[in-house]
């Protein structure tokens, strides 16, 4: 049951942007002020040029005016450079906060959310989307801010020189506003679709790369190629849609920017003949409107970036929406009892895979859940661990719904361990400290010994060794994962094929070591190897999503039911294999 991560709405995105600004008000204010001053300084030269022309026509001297013009240009250069420096620092600090918040949100995602989301979507949000937002904060946002202030000041300056000629300047903002409004109404949805298509493509490529050998072994190349073509086609259509929007916007803005200077020249010529304006005023207005083209082009160039990064920011902020949060239990579980009552569960578009399960797990017991393939064993394990929420019924720990516990609270009570484990970048010690940051080396070594990971002592730097999962192999990575469970010290551990990556002899030794290390804790084993069930206090037998038998190993074998058939079958297979 794969779900898409949510995307934040416009209101949430605005609130997030304001929150980031409030966290660095001095930096934002300094950036805004310096860019405003730089834009104002850029107005000096055209106005002085007009004055110079009129002064020359009147036979006056222009030395002072020329000196002021040079000084204004130098002031603009200094202010612009300093504004760029302050703006870059502000954007880098803000980008750092976005990355940190994203990491915190990903780590705080409920287990049920992580279990069912697209890995490619999460990766794209943490890499491509964050990078795009960071690029916008560093380059696009300051450029658009400066250009917007310049455009505003230039239009105001034309009005101050001559109101009638200034009216011509309004044609540019009016045309650009109309084109931008048309574009912006369509851009958000288009860029969100482009981002979703990009995530799906990343997911598909990652799946093909990870399962390349399986695809080849099963002869699935043609099917996967057709699926890839569909994903690529979706991405292509999404990109063509955004390209069409740009294709309409750019020519419209270009025409809107070029038309006002032409009209000023025509109207200025008429007014000049009638003596209503001076030549210097006409020249100043034309220069101002020609200058207007540069900030407009800058805004145009970066508008696509702003829309694309806005969609990326919405995807990043989507990790903070209610859809990704889990309800926090109103009270702490009062004891370690896990109880499933009338539990039904179904994946999307399927019938129930767990039906009417009633089960009480006694604290401290060893419980094995067995059954044929597809019986619902792993699904029941996820329900007991709070990974999934029942469609009907309830699973509680200490009378509190287990799926309502906050992630950190849940891990104190129940931990699910599967064969799918990961070795994080860093040393062996770093990987073990994920479960207990306060543990000293003595505790770490005891946890490793409990799962039979004596190979650590053969590494060059033992606990301080840097090793990747490829170098260690899946069996050793699995042992480190089991050692983390011991260090986490939950009262209930659910093992779903937790030793499947180990060879049978090592797996048997690790299971015995785990049994000793987890003494006094509740252990629920999803038993695919029935010798695990033989060692359990009780065995729960599932078939067709239902619990059909519950009892000790010897009792169930003597009963001659489903469990006895499974046990006999496993012995026959063992003899054939031997």
């Amino acid at each position: 049951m794969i779900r898409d991560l949510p995307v934040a709405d416009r209101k949430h995105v605005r609130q997030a942007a304001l929150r980031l600004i409030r966290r660095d008000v001095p930096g934002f204010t300094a950036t805004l002020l310096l860019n405003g001053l730089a834009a104002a300084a850029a107005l000096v030269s055209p106005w002085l040029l007009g004055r110079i022309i009129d002064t020359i026509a009147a036979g006056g001297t222009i030395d002072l005016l020329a000196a002021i013009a040079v000084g204004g240009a130098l002031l603009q250069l200094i202010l612009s450079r300093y504004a760029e420096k302050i703006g870059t620092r502000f954007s880098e600090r803000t980008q750092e906060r976005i990355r940190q918040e994203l990491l915190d949100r990903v780590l705080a995602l409920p287990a049920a959310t992580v279990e069912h989301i697209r890995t490619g979507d999460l990766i794209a949000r943490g890499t491509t989307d964050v990078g795009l937002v960071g690029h916008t904060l560093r380059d696009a946002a300051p450029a658009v801010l400066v250009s917007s202030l310049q455009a505003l000041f230039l239009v105001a300056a034309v009005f101050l020189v001559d109101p009638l000629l200034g009216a011509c300047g309004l044609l540019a903002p009016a045309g650009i506003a109309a084109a931008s409004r048309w574009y912006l109404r369509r851009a958000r949805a288009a860029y969100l679709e482009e981002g979703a298509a990009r995530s799906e493509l990343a997911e598909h490529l990652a799946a093909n790369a990870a399962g390349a050998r399986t695809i080849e072994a099963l002869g699935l190349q043609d099917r996967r190629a057709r699926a890839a073509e569909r994903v690529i086609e979706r991405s292509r259509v999404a990109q063509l849609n955004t390209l069409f929007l740009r294709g309409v916007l750019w020519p419209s803005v270009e025409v809107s920017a070029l038309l006002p200077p032409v009209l000023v020249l025509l109207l200025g010529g008429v007014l000049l003949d009638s003596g209503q304006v001076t030549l210097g005023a006409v020249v100043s207005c034309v220069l101002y409107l020609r200058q207007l083209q540069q900030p407009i082009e800058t805004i145009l160039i970066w508008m696509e970036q702003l829309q694309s990064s806005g969609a990326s920011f919405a995807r990043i902020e989507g990790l903070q929406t209610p859809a990704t949060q889990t309800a926090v239990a109103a009270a702490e579980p009062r004891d370690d009892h896990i109880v499933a009552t009338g539990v039904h569960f179904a994946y999307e578009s399927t019938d129930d895979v767990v039906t009417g399960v009633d089960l009480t797990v006694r604290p401290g017991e060893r419980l094995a859940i067995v059954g044929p393939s597809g019986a619902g064993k792993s699904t029941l394990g996820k329900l007991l661990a709070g990974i999934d929420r029942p469609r009907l019924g309830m699973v509680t720990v200490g009378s509190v719904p287990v799926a309502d516990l906050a992630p950190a609270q849940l891990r104190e009570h129940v931990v699910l361990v599967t064969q799918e484990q990961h070795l994080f970048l860093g040393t062996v010690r770093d990987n073990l400290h994920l479960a207990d940051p306060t543990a000293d080396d003595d505790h770490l070594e005891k946890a490793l010994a409990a799962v039979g990971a004596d190979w650590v002592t053969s590494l060059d730097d033992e606990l301080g060794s840097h090793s990747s999962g490829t170098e260690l192999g899946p069996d050793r990575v699995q042992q480190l994962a089991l050692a983390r469970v011991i260090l986490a010290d939950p009262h209930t551990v659910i093992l779903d094929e937790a030793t499947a990556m180990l060879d049978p002899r090592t797996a048997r030794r690790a299971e015995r070591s785990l049994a000793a290390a987890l003494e006094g804790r509740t252990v629920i084993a999803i038993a695919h190897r029935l010798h695990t069930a033989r060692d359990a206090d009780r065995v729960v037998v599932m078939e067709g999503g239902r619990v059909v038998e519950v009892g000790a190993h010897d009792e169930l074998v003597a009963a001659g039911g489903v469990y006895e058939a499974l046990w006999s079958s496993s012995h026959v297979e063992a003899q054939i294999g031997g």
Side-chain angles (χ1 to χ4, degrees):
M1 182 170 57
I2 301 299
R3 304 189 185 108
D4 292 325
L5 285 167
V7 176
D9 58 26
R10 295 178 187 271
K11 180 181 178 182
H12 188 99
V13 170
R14 284 195 299 269
Q15 291 173 344
L18 291 174
R19 184 187 70 248
L20 289 172
I21 291 173
R22 285 195 297 267
R23 293 183 65 179
D24 196 354
V25 173
F28 178 77
T29 303
T31 301
L32 191 64
L33 179 60
L34 288 170
N35 282 316
L37 292 174
L43 302 177
V44 175
S45 294
W47 178 78
L48 285 174
L49 183 57
R51 291 291 302 274
I52 289 171
I53 292 174
D54 290 340
T55 301
I56 292 175
T61 60
I62 61 171
D63 294 348
L64 180 59
L65 294 176
I68 296 174
V70 173
L74 289 174
L75 179 62
Q76 179 197 1
L77 177 62
I78 294 171
L79 288 172
S80 297
R81 293 300 183 188
Y82 197 57
E84 182 179 359
K85 177 181 179 181
I86 297 298
T88 300
R89 288 181 175 178
F90 165 75
S91 64
E92 290 295 333
R93 289 193 298 269
T94 304
Q95 182 181 352
E96 180 186 7
R97 293 187 182 102
I98 292 174
R99 290 185 182 277
Q100 186 59 53
E101 287 180 359
L102 177 68
L103 178 61
D104 293 341
R105 292 168 189 173
V106 170
L107 294 177
L109 284 175
T113 301
V114 176
E115 184 74 13
H116 299 299
I117 61 176
R118 298 181 188 276
T119 305
D121 188 15
L122 189 59
I123 292 173
R125 294 186 190 218
T127 54
T128 304
D129 288 332
V130 171
L132 188 56
V133 171
H135 176 57
T136 299
L137 286 170
R138 186 180 62 250
D139 299 323
V144 171
L145 175 61
V146 173
S147 298
S148 299
L149 290 173
Q150 287 178 340
L152 177 63
F153 289 169
L154 287 169
V155 172
V158 176
F159 266 97
L160 291 175
V161 173
D162 187 274
L164 189 56
L165 295 178
C168 298
L170 292 178
L171 293 176
I176 294 170
S180 299
R181 183 180 180 186
W182 177 90
Y183 173 80
L184 294 175
R185 280 204 308 264
R186 297 161 175 79
R188 175 180 167 85
Y191 280 106
L192 285 175
E193 169 61 19
E194 187 178 45
R198 185 171 59 237
S199 294
E200 185 180 8
L201 182 58
E203 171 77 18
H204 192 85
L205 292 175
N208 281 350
R213 292 184 178 179
T214 302
I215 292 172
E216 183 178 3
L218 298 179
L220 300 176
Q221 293 93 329
D222 291 341
R223 183 185 302 177
R224 296 300 295 177
R226 288 192 298 271
E229 289 173 358
R230 289 193 297 270
V231 174
I232 293 171
E233 177 62 17
R234 180 190 176 189
S235 181
R236 186 185 72 86
V237 170
Q239 292 186 49
L240 284 177
N241 190 22
T242 58
L243 180 62
F244 167 72
L245 296 180
R246 297 191 295 274
V248 173
L249 175 68
W250 289 16
S252 302
V253 174
E254 289 286 348
V255 172
S256 298
L258 291 173
L259 189 58
V262 175
L263 293 178
V264 166
L265 286 174
L266 293 175
L267 181 60
V270 174
L271 297 176
L272 186 60
D273 287 340
S274 63
Q276 297 183 48
V277 296
T278 65
L279 178 60
V282 174
V283 171
S284 294
C285 288
V286 171
L287 289 176
Y288 278 137
L289 293 176
R290 286 297 297 161
Q291 281 190 357
L292 183 62
Q293 185 175 2
Q294 187 273 329
I296 287 175
E297 288 180 348
T298 300
I299 295 172
L300 173 64
I301 290 171
W302 287 111
M303 185 174 290
E304 175 197 355
Q305 178 84 18
L306 289 173
Q307 289 302 306
S308 182
S309 64
S312 292
F313 192 40
R315 285 161 51 78
I316 293 170
E317 286 299 314
L319 293 175
Q320 187 65 7
T321 59
T324 62
Q325 306 305 304
T326 184
V328 179
E332 180 73 18
R334 63 190 183 194
D335 54 41
D336 298 344
H337 280 85
I338 295 178
V339 179
T341 307
V343 172
H344 293 253
F345 181 81
Y347 296 103
E348 291 181 356
S349 304
T350 66
D351 297 330
D352 283 350
V353 293
V354 171
T355 305
V357 170
D358 294 302
L359 179 65
T360 298
V361 183
R362 297 189 289 264
E365 77 169 326
R366 298 291 197 273
L367 182 72
I369 302 177
V370 304
S373 178
K377 305 183 296 297
S378 294
T379 301
L380 179 59
K382 292 178 180 178
L383 291 167
L384 295 175
I387 302 297
D388 287 321
R389 185 183 296 271
R391 182 180 67 81
L392 294 174
M394 184 176 295
V395 178
T396 62
V397 54
S399 300
V400 175
V402 66
D404 285 349
L405 295 174
Q409 190 181 21
L410 175 63
R411 286 189 289 270
E412 294 177 359
H413 294 276
V414 184
V415 169
L416 172 67
V417 185
T418 71
Q419 63 175 314
E420 299 175 3
Q421 299 299 333
H422 181 69
L423 185 66
F424 296 88
L425 292 176
T427 64
V428 173
R429 183 183 291 106
D430 293 334
N431 275 270
L432 296 177
H433 274 159
L434 291 172
D436 184 5
T438 64
D440 57 24
D441 285 0
D442 184 55
H443 283 86
L444 300 184
E445 291 168 357
K446 288 180 179 179
L448 290 169
V451 297
D454 49 6
W455 49 265
V456 173
T457 59
S458 65
L459 298 177
D460 292 339
D461 195 16
E462 298 188 5
L463 290 174
S465 299
H466 287 261
S467 298
S468 68
T470 303
E471 293 171 341
L472 289 182
D475 55 340
R476 293 184 172 183
V477 172
Q478 189 73 1
Q479 285 178 306
L480 290 179
L482 294 172
R484 285 199 293 253
V485 173
I486 294 174
L487 291 167
D489 195 27
H491 68 66
T492 299
V493 178
I494 301 176
L495 305 174
D496 186 2
E497 291 191 283
T499 59
M501 301 302 296
L502 309 180
D503 63 81
R505 179 176 298 178
T506 303
R508 188 65 174 157
R509 187 173 73 250
E511 287 167 0
R512 285 196 297 266
S513 299
L514 268 176
L518 298 177
E519 185 68 33
R521 295 178 179 83
T522 305
V523 178
I524 302 173
I526 312 297
H528 299 268
R529 293 169 176 164
L530 288 188
H531 64 74
T532 303
R534 184 179 58 187
D535 297 336
D537 298 324
R538 283 193 303 158
V539 180
V540 174
V541 185
M542 295 190 68
E543 188 176 51
R546 299 178 180 275
V547 173
V548 294
E549 293 179 335
V550 179
H553 166 79
D554 293 338
E555 295 173 0
L556 296 179
V557 170
V562 175
Y563 181 77
E564 191 277 332
L566 290 172
W567 181 256
S568 299
S569 176
S570 68
H571 275 282
V572 171
E573 291 176 359
Q575 291 171 2
I576 294 175

